[in-house]
């Protein structure tokens, strides 16, 4: 069968906990060959974002073509894509390809800094979401996509239905990290709801949780797992990554990419 590969198209985190760096570490842990296209270079760490520099669109395209025309990935994910131009480019490149496509619709960093221009938000909804296999919004991102507020589990389910049935996503996981109580994620695939629940871990070391979670899903889809199995593995992996989070940095520390090994999550299940 040979090795499977995955491509992340996203911004960077030089402190290693989020963005491209988190994605590549996650792909490696999930035994998938990782590749990357950088959209923006971000000066950030566990305390927040200092500065963002977008790469020229023609250069993002060059990076993409370099990878795609040589090693076509078995799955592709997008994280931070800040501008309309970047979104249009990605839509053009991915349209018509049957490679599984995971969108983490990153809008604002945990520290509150915007990672997506306001005007681009409707473009991700209209141009990219219809191309997706899975979208993984947190509650504020899902609220933006559907245009109503989400306070309860019923609201999250209603939003999930809108994202699949009206916006055209293949499937959606509305993440419960921002709601009260247990951390309950809702998967809707157009047919049924599946719930993935963990206890809420009492920690502020959650830098990069969303990136890591969606990167696991990407790696699992690259290996041919079903969406449900991929999300199940993503949830198990991120829970242990938060549970055993690393005491690094002076702010919201990174998660532990080796955490799941302590629980023995099998690497080649299913
Ligand atoms: N305190 C917590 N305890 C347990 N699980 C959590 C906690 N916070 C988040 N999670 C889980 O982590 C995953 C990522 O969710 P989260 O809502 O943190 O993403 P996000 O806000 O997109 O992250 P990011 O800051 O990277 O953008 C989900 O599966 C969520 O349920
Ligand atoms: C580059 C990048 N992508 C995503 C996030 C979301 O946490 C971040 N902080 N930085």
């Amino acid at each position: 069968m040979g090795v499977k590969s995955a491509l992340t198209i996203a911004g960077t985190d030089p402190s290693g906990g989020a963005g491209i760096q988190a994605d590549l570490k996650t792909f490696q842990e999930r035994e998938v060959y990782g590749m990357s296209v950088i959209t923006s270079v971000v000066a950030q760490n566990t305390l927040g974002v200092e500065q963002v520099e977008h790469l020229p669109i023609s250069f993002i395209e060059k990076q993409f073509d370099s990878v795609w025309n040589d090693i076509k990935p078995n799955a592709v994910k997008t994280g931070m894509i800040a501008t309309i131009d970047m979104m249009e480019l990605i839509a053009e490149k991915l349209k018509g390809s049957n490679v599984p496509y995971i969108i983490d619709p990153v809008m604002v960093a945990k520290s509150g800094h915007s990672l997506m221009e306001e005007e681009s938000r409707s473009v991700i909804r209209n141009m990219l979401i219809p191309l997706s296999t899975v979208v993984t919004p947190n509650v504020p991102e899902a609220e933006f996509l559907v245009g109503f507020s989400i306070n309860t589990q019923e609201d999250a389910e209603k939003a999930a239905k809108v994202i699949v049935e009206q916006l055209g996503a293949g499937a959606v996981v509305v993440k419960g990290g921002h709601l009260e109580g247990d951390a309950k994620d809702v998967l809707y695939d157009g047919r049924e709801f599946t719930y993935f629940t963990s206890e809420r871990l009492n920690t502020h070391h959650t830098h990069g949780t969303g990136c890591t979670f969606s990167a696991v899903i990407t790696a699992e889809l690259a290996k041919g797992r079903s969406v449900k199995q991929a999300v199940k593995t993503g949830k198990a992996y991120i829970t242990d990554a938060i549970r055993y989070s690393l005491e690094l940095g002076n702010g919201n520390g990174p998660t532990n990419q080796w955490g799941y090994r302590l629980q023995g999550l099998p690497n080649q299940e299913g």
Side-chain angles (χ1 to χ4, degrees):
M1 284 266 284
V3 68
K4 300 299 181 191
S5 65
L7 171 66
T8 172
I9 305 174
T12 64
D13 173 8
S15 70
I20 291 275
Q21 284 81 353
D23 292 341
L24 291 175
K25 292 176 189 183
T26 308
F27 293 161
Q28 184 79 8
E29 280 299 310
R30 297 309 302 154
E31 298 184 0
V32 163
Y33 180 79
M35 305 183 285
S36 62
V37 166
I38 295 173
T39 53
S40 306
V41 182
V42 183
Q44 63 170 321
N45 58 25
T46 65
L47 293 164
V49 173
E50 286 289 335
Q51 196 175 328
V52 177
E53 296 288 338
H54 301 322
L55 293 183
I57 201 77
S58 60
F59 190 57
I60 297 173
E61 180 170 21
K62 275 245 156 62
Q63 294 178 71
F64 181 92
D65 290 344
S66 300
V67 179
W68 199 267
N69 297 336
D70 188 25
I71 308 176
K72 194 164 174 198
N74 298 101
V76 54
K77 119 164 213 191
T78 53
M80 176 189 176
I81 34 176
T83 70
I84 293 176
D85 283 358
M86 293 179 192
M87 290 174 186
E88 286 176 347
L89 172 73
I90 292 163
E92 184 193 309
K93 295 289 178 185
L94 296 184
K95 215 178 294 166
S97 95
N98 55 3
V99 176
Y101 173 34
I102 296 77
I103 301 180
D104 185 16
V106 173
M107 293 179 189
V108 179
K110 281 245 158 70
S111 52
H113 295 79
S114 176
L115 296 176
M116 188 190 289
E117 291 172 357
E118 291 275 332
E119 326 73 87
S120 350
R121 292 184 178 190
S122 54
V123 181
I124 196 168
R125 181 173 54 202
N126 300 333
M127 289 188 79
L128 293 178
I129 287 186
L131 302 177
S132 70
T133 308
V134 188
V135 193
T136 62
N138 62 24
V139 162
E141 290 156 357
E143 287 178 328
F144 173 78
L145 293 173
V146 299
F148 56 80
S149 60
I150 300 172
N151 301 303
T152 63
Q153 165 135 1
E154 290 76 58
D155 296 340
E157 288 170 2
K158 209 169 101 191
K161 274 201 149 188
V162 170
I163 291 168
V164 172
E165 289 167 7
Q166 292 178 31
L167 304 186
V172 63
V173 186
V174 179
K175 297 173 291 189
H178 295 245
L179 292 177
E180 310 256 288
D182 283 348
K184 188 167 183 177
D185 302 344
V186 179
L187 167 66
Y188 183 65
D189 61 5
R191 281 175 297 129
E192 58 180 0
F193 290 104
T194 312
Y195 305 91
F196 301 91
T197 307
S198 70
E199 65 187 292
R200 177 165 303 275
L201 299 161
N202 184 17
T203 174
H204 60 279
H205 296 312
T206 53
H207 179 61
T209 50
C211 305
T212 301
F213 177 69
S214 56
V216 178
I217 295 171
T218 306
E220 299 309 301
L221 291 180
K223 290 185 284 192
R225 308 284 186 261
S226 68
V227 168
K228 210 178 280 184
Q229 185 63 52
V231 176
K232 184 173 178 216
T233 302
K235 181 65 174 169
Y237 186 103
I238 196 60
T239 302
D240 288 332
I242 298 170
R243 190 190 313 278
Y244 302 108
S245 58
L246 303 168
E247 300 287 322
L248 290 174
N250 297 300
N252 300 119
T255 65
N256 184 346
Q257 298 276 0
W258 308 293
Y260 76 93
R261 294 195 206 175
L262 303 170
Q263 292 288 338
L265 174 72
N267 217 24
Q268 299 294 342
E269 69 284 339

